[in-house]
Amino acid sequence: MKQTNRRLSLAAIAAAAMLAMAGSNEAVAADKAAAAPQPNIVHILADDLGWQDLACYYRALHGKDSIYETPNLDRLARDGRRFMQAYSPAPTCSPSRAAYMAGQWTTHTGVVHVMGGLPPRAYNEGFAAINPFYPARLDMTTPTIARVLKNAGYQTAHIAKWHLGGRSNGYPAPVDYGFDLGWFGNVRGTPYNDPELWDMNDKKTADFNGLWAVMKPNRITGFPDSHQPTERYALDEDDDDRPFDSVVNLVVRWMDKTKDQGQPMFVNFCPFFVHGPISARDRKRLEHYCQKMGLPFPTDPGRINDKTQGQVNPYYAAMIDALDWQVGKVIKFLETTDDPRNPGHKLIDNTYIIFSSDNGGCTGLPITDGKDKGKSEAVADNSPLRGGKQTVFEGGIRIPFIVRGPGVPADSVCDTPVSLIDLFPTFMALAGGSRPVGLDLDGCNILPLFHGADQPARFADGRARDTLYWHYPIVIPASSIIRKGGWKLILNHAPEQNNMPPVQLFQLYNEDGGVSDLGETKDLAEANPSKRDELLADLKSWLARYDAPMPYKNAGKTSKPLPHADQVPAILKRGSTGDRVQVEFETGPGKAKVVEARFIYTANGSDLLREGSGAEEWFEAPAILRDGVATATAAPGMTHGIFCLRDENNFLITSEPLGVEVRGESAAKGVKDGYAYRPGLVALIRCADSAARNAKVAGLNAGALAKEMEAARKVVAQPVEEASYAAAIRNLRRAIRALSVPEARLPELNQFESAKW
């Protein structure tokens, strides 16, 4: 991804943010607001919650009550503002969460789906399309909401689901992106990094998953029935026999501790609800929803209802109920707790609560136990929207979005389209500062919309936004989306795989704002070619601007022959000289032209460089394409690398065969060459040479570094052998990182935090 020049250094961001605190340009009106201290910000980001899973949304859409009961979220809407056209940046969680945290499109962050950081391989030999390479993590140098708010004087906490760090041992964790309290806390073996709040010996409160934890041996066993206060899920008689939940308990305890520190709070509370597995630890609520749906209490953990349409799953209903209860616990604390920074007021008086979801509702999931094991059961009902999670239709990207806070009109509705990426600039405005100079955000400050304006969202330069974009190049959908005004166009990058039209055009809303086709039932691509071509050109321009990763066609065995597969160039030769690696490929008559080269690599492709549950993770490095040859420079410490070439017909050619994807298996172990070890060690020795020179200038003792450099030079002169080369890489990298020199801070040398790094 071509991102480096778009990012500021953390030091620059910190300096810019501090300078920017001079005052806001927003007309949030009010002497009263101006007199109040910086407001607290609580963002509750639910997981897989559908657009109409909230009773207040369902009621507004259907004119009747829903099966699900969400009294706390309904009250939040009555006391605040409900957004009817709010969107997630992607139809799955990781890209949405990374985009929200960075205030950028997924094409800008590079994170386009979950579980990235792996070489591009077909799911199986029959697939016609292959996912592009994409990173597993948000770049650690990215300015984040947490960093900017922390620089503005906020205490910051991320609690519960993260899912935008890397593949290895929970690193990088929230604290690595600027949070004071965070998941895994960047302390190996410690889920949270505040010993005052997280005592590993207290099995009741130190329960990372809380009520969402998987029930064992299945979902109709393990219901709590004890009122003993020390029990893990003890029932609370004063709270309608609700089971204790360690997750929301931690949220409340952190706010209670932080309120007395004289600083505003930013809480990024990300419940695990209502992501699968679909189960309900609260027996009382499960019984309640079984009764509402006219179903007997289950005696088998399989499917409980054969209906597939509507709100038909009592397990899912109980999970939504639990999520609503968590929200209620947060609101109750804010409403009943005095605000030390604002005497005479409760915390709620100076707190903005934002509730949203990371993507649309998941419409179906496989059953894990019982008579229906392996079969699918209905989950969310997104109607009248089409599709759900992992689709590019409205059901996959439209989300509930509610705001309550100072100046937010009660019981109001906003129909302006907004996105989670808008929260970054909006939170900056709430903090009281203008936009730091050079900060590259794609979102808009929607604080005026919070405060009741019914107008387009506006960029920092005052331009009205009329267009939203999405890029989800992942098989099966493998599509990009543009929504402009009431129109939506879907560009399908893999029609050979998903059998969907190459381009689809829908009119969601009429010119007057009235609903036209929310269900995306009428494809107008052929009937309205001028609008189709206008939106298609705009979308392609946006994709090109960010060098968006595109899916490949599979040059291997597929279920049906693909045109031009016989023109795919073959690999002729691989080789390396020092830290320079290259691959030669066929050119000339009868062979398609290679138009793109990417080089991906891993620095932990050996078990000797990983530990515990750490997983192999791959990154991208620059590659040069010229005259039938692709070249790249090995990253310092690289253990394995692969060239990914694209020909003019979009077929993938790799520098050596990779086979199909096998989850959990090392990709590095599956390659025969992989430019293994030597180029990466040579690059690391060059890095060490530079570090030694800088250490000398700084007057530092580099004796340990010199010793490891000598040992590494002896190893690199020998034939490649995993144990000796991995040890040399590990030891030399440690010696560089031990010194206060610029090389010690290189991203390539800091991709992981573990005993072996």
Side-chain angles (χ1 to χ4, degrees):
M1 297 299 296
K2 300 175 182 176
Q3 303 175 53
T4 306
N5 63 344
R6 297 190 178 100
R7 295 204 165 89
L8 301 175
S9 70
L10 299 187
I13 284 295
M18 293 304 289
L19 289 173
M21 292 303 115
S24 173
N25 294 326
E26 298 298 335
V28 246
D31 296 334
K32 181 169 147 188
Q38 289 168 292
N40 303 306
I41 302 171
V42 177
H43 181 209
I44 304 173
L45 180 62
D47 197 355
D48 286 1
L49 187 71
W51 185 51
Q52 65 168 19
D53 283 342
L54 276 61
C56 56
Y57 275 83
Y58 188 93
R59 194 177 303 113
L61 291 164
H62 299 283
K64 60 181 180 179
D65 288 337
S66 69
I67 293 288
Y68 310 150
E69 298 170 15
T70 55
N72 295 294
L73 286 161
D74 289 359
R75 186 162 72 89
L76 193 69
R78 285 196 304 272
D79 293 341
R81 192 161 174 82
R82 175 167 38 88
F83 287 71
M84 295 303 294
Q85 296 188 48
Y87 288 97
S88 61
T92 52
C93 61
S94 293
S96 284
R97 292 165 187 267
Y100 147 64
M101 193 55 56
Q104 297 174 333
W105 306 117
T106 60
T107 48
H108 203 158
T109 67
V111 182
V112 296
H113 187 43
V114 300
M115 300 302 290
L118 292 173
R121 295 174 289 180
Y123 286 146
N124 61 50
E125 290 183 349
F127 271 50
I130 297 175
N131 293 341
F133 174 80
Y134 57 95
R137 61 178 72 176
L138 182 64
D139 190 301
M140 290 177 64
T141 65
T142 303
T144 63
I145 291 175
R147 285 176 173 140
V148 172
L149 289 183
K150 190 172 181 179
N151 287 329
Y154 278 70
Q155 283 282 311
T156 60
H158 173 93
I159 294 176
K161 182 167 180 174
W162 182 232
H163 224 324
L164 58 87
R167 300 177 60 85
S168 181
N169 286 330
Y171 179 84
V175 295
D176 302 301
Y177 293 93
F179 285 97
D180 295 305
L181 177 80
W183 184 77
F184 272 104
N186 197 9
V187 179
R188 285 179 291 114
T190 306
Y192 289 106
N193 61 314
D194 186 339
E196 292 183 16
L197 297 175
W198 187 269
D199 179 1
M200 292 296 290
N201 296 316
D202 185 345
K203 300 305 180 184
K204 179 179 180 179
T205 60
D207 180 1
F208 182 69
N209 290 320
L211 287 178
W212 181 81
V214 175
M215 298 175 67
K216 296 179 180 179
N218 57 56
R219 64 181 177 179
I220 58 170
T221 56
F223 295 110
D225 57 9
S226 171
H227 291 85
Q228 295 298 318
T230 57
E231 292 293 324
R232 188 176 181 186
Y233 303 114
L235 302 180
D236 186 348
E237 292 177 298
D238 296 326
D239 196 5
D240 194 22
D241 279 334
R242 293 278 183 176
F244 176 83
D245 177 52
S246 58
V247 176
V248 75
N249 175 263
L250 178 62
V251 175
V252 170
R253 286 189 294 118
W254 184 85
M255 290 193 296
D256 194 34
K257 173 184 175 180
T258 305
K259 75 179 192 306
D260 297 318
Q261 297 179 8
Q263 295 174 266
M265 299 181 286
F266 168 49
V267 185
N268 197 50
F269 174 29
C270 298
F272 298 107
F273 291 113
V274 289
H275 192 288
I278 303 302
S279 64
R281 191 172 295 277
D282 188 337
R283 182 186 181 107
K284 186 171 184 177
R285 251 47 65 172
L286 180 58
E287 290 176 340
H288 173 67
Y289 287 107
C290 283
Q291 291 173 3
K292 288 192 76 172
M293 296 178 188
L295 300 169
F297 192 81
T299 57
D300 182 276
R303 185 187 293 125
I304 196 170
N305 196 339
D306 290 331
K307 294 180 180 179
T308 59
Q309 301 295 318
Q311 298 179 337
V312 297
N313 190 325
Y315 292 108
Y316 187 65
M319 292 180 78
I320 292 173
D321 195 293
L323 170 65
D324 179 79
W325 171 78
Q326 287 182 319
V327 173
K329 299 291 280 188
V330 173
I331 295 174
K332 182 178 180 181
F333 172 80
L334 294 170
E335 288 180 329
T336 58
T337 305
D338 291 335
D339 186 351
R341 295 190 305 121
N342 199 13
H345 293 269
K346 301 297 184 183
L347 286 170
I348 193 71
D349 297 332
N350 194 36
T351 297
Y352 284 86
I353 304 174
I354 300 92
F355 179 87
S356 66
S357 178
D358 60 354
N359 48 250
C362 183
T363 56
L365 283 173
I367 299 169
T368 57
D369 292 293
K371 59 183 176 59
D372 300 309
K373 183 176 181 179
K375 297 180 181 179
S376 180
E377 67 178 332
V379 187
D381 172 34
N382 296 323
S383 61
L385 306 182
R386 180 178 177 181
K389 179 183 179 180
Q390 294 192 18
T391 77
V392 291
F393 298 108
E394 291 291 288
I397 55 178
R398 196 176 290 219
I399 58 173
F401 190 96
I402 301 172
V403 178
R404 173 185 172 176
V408 177
D411 205 14
S412 61
V413 176
C414 182
D415 286 312
T416 301
V418 299
S419 169
L420 287 181
I421 67 170
D422 296 330
L423 289 180
F424 192 141
T426 304
F427 289 175
M428 282 199 303
L430 286 173
S434 59
R435 185 192 191 101
V437 176
L439 184 60
D440 193 3
L441 301 181
D442 298 319
C444 294
N445 173 11
I446 57 173
L447 188 55
L449 302 182
F450 282 14
H451 289 151
D454 288 307
Q455 62 184 35
R458 295 189 178 276
F459 293 106
D461 60 7
R463 288 179 298 119
R465 180 179 68 193
D466 65 353
T467 308
L468 294 173
Y469 303 94
W470 293 261
H471 182 54
Y472 188 60
I474 305 303
V475 178
I476 302 288
S479 298
S480 302
I481 312 168
I482 179 174
R483 181 183 161 183
K484 190 169 187 176
W487 292 89
K488 176 179 175 181
L489 179 138
I490 300 173
L491 172 61
N492 183 2
H493 302 294
E496 304 90 348
Q497 178 63 53
N498 56 34
N499 297 315
M500 297 293 286
V503 178
Q504 293 173 280
L505 178 68
F506 304 102
Q507 187 174 14
L508 305 179
Y509 295 92
N510 299 317
E511 295 300 321
D512 63 1
V515 171
S516 174
D517 183 22
L518 282 188
E520 296 168 281
T521 61
K522 301 174 184 176
D523 183 356
L524 304 176
E526 295 300 323
N528 199 332
S530 60
K531 179 61 69 173
R532 177 198 65 202
D533 294 346
E534 171 199 338
L535 296 184
L536 189 58
D538 188 337
L539 179 58
K540 287 183 175 180
S541 176
W542 177 76
L543 293 168
R545 186 187 320 154
Y546 294 105
D547 188 27
M550 295 293 178
Y552 299 98
K553 291 181 182 177
N554 187 359
K557 183 180 179 181
T558 56
S559 56
K560 57 183 178 181
L562 297 179
H564 309 297
D566 58 337
Q567 300 173 18
V568 175
I571 296 299
L572 299 176
K573 184 180 179 182
R574 296 183 297 271
S576 65
T577 303
D579 61 355
R580 183 175 178 270
V581 295
Q582 69 178 47
V583 62
E584 299 178 23
F585 50 87
E586 289 182 317
T587 59
K591 295 300 174 183
K593 181 180 180 181
V594 173
V595 296
E596 177 188 89
R598 295 176 184 263
F599 185 69
I600 60 172
Y601 73 94
T602 180
N604 70 339
S606 167
D607 291 339
L608 301 173
L609 297 172
R610 297 192 296 268
E611 65 180 348
S613 61
E616 184 178 291
E617 186 172 347
W618 293 64
F619 302 84
E620 186 172 350
I624 298 173
L625 184 63
R626 184 180 300 141
D627 300 328
V629 179
T631 59
T633 300
M638 180 186 91
T639 63
H640 301 82
I642 297 168
F643 282 97
C644 298
L645 311 178
R646 184 190 303 273
D647 75 10
E648 60 187 319
N649 299 311
N650 282 327
F651 282 96
L652 171 66
I653 311 111
T654 53
S655 48
E656 60 185 294
L658 299 182
V660 298
E661 181 176 337
V662 181
R663 286 194 173 274
E665 288 193 7
S666 164
K669 290 182 178 180
V671 298
K672 293 182 179 180
D673 180 357
Y675 309 100
Y677 298 106
R678 178 177 279 125
L681 182 54
V682 171
L684 191 59
I685 291 170
R686 291 188 177 181
C687 179
D689 278 329
S690 177
R693 291 192 296 271
N694 283 321
K696 183 177 180 180
V697 171
L700 302 174
N701 182 352
L705 176 61
K707 177 182 176 182
E708 296 302 340
M709 287 171 62
E710 181 181 0
R713 287 193 173 101
K714 291 180 180 178
V715 170
V716 85
Q718 302 299 317
V720 172
E721 184 270 329
E722 180 180 1
S724 60
Y725 271 76
I729 288 173
R730 180 183 64 238
N731 296 337
L732 187 53
R733 182 168 50 218
R734 282 178 178 169
I736 297 171
R737 294 179 67 199
L739 296 171
S740 296
V741 293
E743 292 76 11
R745 297 187 291 275
L746 287 173
E748 293 84 354
L749 271 60
N750 293 278
Q751 291 167 344
F752 306 98
E753 278 295 329
S754 73
K756 296 186 178 181
W757 273 68

